[in-house]
Amino acid sequence: GQQLNQSPQSMFIQEGEDVSMNCTSSSIFNTWLWYKQDPGEGPVLLIALYKAGELTSNGRLTAQFGITRKDSFLNISASIPSDVGIYFCAGRQETSGSRLTFGEGTQLTVNP
Amino acid sequence: ETGVTQSPTHLIKTRGQQVTLRCSSQSGHNTVSWYQQALGQGPQFIFQYYREEENGRGNFPPRFSGLQFPNYSSELNVNALELDDSALYLCASSLPLQETQYFGPGTRLLVL
């Protein structure tokens, strides 16, 4: 089935550093979503993107919908310990109804 | 707090048994999607229910079935459990025709 390639798989950073992660696909997506998942919890929506080229911020988080509609990135500025968790990108294709396709996740560790 | 609730939180079954997982959608959301998340992987789409009917299905065998009730709550049923069915099962709700899905905390199923 369709896959999203998410990178990096894991990141180990110091508190205060900026973080960047991305998601790519060989197919076009009409919507990109970024979620964060803590251990034992369900994914929590961070940012939703609906138009190619769209740049959206949510506090220290910024995400962009790639102009080719085949990629998206998420930046976290001035990381803090509570940013620790797994970040997932998810996309929706026009031909797949409301089905979301998820990436494999980026495990973020922030050292105080 | 997303408002999506799931029960039970944890469940242990043996191979060949049947299991029913339950989900209550967020207030006002009449679309419910189910995902399977194996350890270390992103969620995989199982199926979606809208207006009490299945509205899209992922690559899962027929022994995975579901229901949606008039109050928009939903059930996921899995028959003839296999060891590989061990996973976190996530329910997500959304408004009709909206891509943004809000997840519950999940049900952790272990098949022995």
Side-chain angles (χ1 to χ4, degrees):
Chain A
Q2 175 61 46
Q3 290 186 334
L4 295 181
N5 301 307
Q6 189 171 347
S7 64
Q9 283 188 320
S10 61
M11 302 182 73
F12 297 83
I13 63 171
Q14 293 297 125
E15 184 176 358
E17 290 184 353
D18 297 343
V19 171
S20 183
M21 59 191 77
N22 67 78
C23 213
T24 61
S25 173
S26 58
S27 300
I28 288 174
F29 283 81
N30 289 341
T31 302
W32 287 95
L33 305 169
W34 285 91
Y35 289 88
K36 178 175 182 276
Q37 186 174 30
D38 292 327
E41 302 288 333
V44 174
L45 181 66
L46 300 174
I47 292 179
L49 303 160
Y50 302 105
K51 295 181 181 179
E54 180 180 356
L55 184 71
T56 298
S57 293
N58 178 9
R60 296 178 295 106
L61 278 61
T62 301
Q64 184 159 26
F65 191 141
I67 57 173
T68 65
R69 297 164 66 190
K70 294 181 179 181
D71 62 347
S72 177
F73 72 75
L74 175 70
N75 285 341
I76 305 173
S77 62
S79 59
I80 59 178
S82 63
D83 290 335
V84 166
I86 303 177
Y87 291 79
F88 288 100
C89 63
R92 187 191 74 85
Q93 294 179 283
E94 186 171 16
T95 56
S96 65
S98 298
R99 173 188 314 193
L100 294 181
T101 300
F102 280 79
E104 294 295 304
T106 295
Q107 171 73 63
L108 177 64
T109 301
V110 180
N111 296 315
Chain B
E1 179 64 44
T2 65
V4 179
T5 60
Q6 292 186 244
S7 63
T9 55
H10 297 83
L11 203 53
I12 299 175
K13 292 284 188 178
T14 56
R15 272 189 308 174
Q17 285 189 313
Q18 178 267 343
V19 69
T20 297
L21 310 181
R22 294 178 175 83
C23 170
S24 292
S25 61
Q26 186 167 333
S27 177
H29 289 189
N30 61 4
T31 302
V32 174
S33 303
W34 286 91
Y35 291 81
Q36 180 195 66
Q37 186 177 22
L39 198 61
Q41 297 184 18
Q44 298 289 318
F45 176 78
I46 303 175
F47 44 55
Q48 182 183 83
Y49 277 83
Y50 171 62
R51 291 185 174 179
E52 303 177 49
E53 292 190 357
E54 189 178 289
N55 180 41
R57 187 179 184 92
N59 189 27
F60 281 81
R63 59 189 185 84
F64 285 79
S65 63
L67 284 173
Q68 186 179 31
F69 301 98
N71 66 354
Y72 308 141
S73 66
S74 177
E75 286 182 355
L76 165 65
N77 299 293
V78 187
N79 294 322
L81 284 167
E82 302 176 358
L83 297 180
D84 286 348
D85 294 334
S86 296
L88 180 68
Y89 287 85
L90 295 163
C91 167
S93 74
S94 58
L95 291 167
L97 305 180
Q98 292 290 315
E99 298 89 347
T100 307
Q101 297 181 12
Y102 298 88
F103 284 82
T107 293
R108 175 73 63 186
L109 172 65
L110 177 61
V111 182
L112 301 176

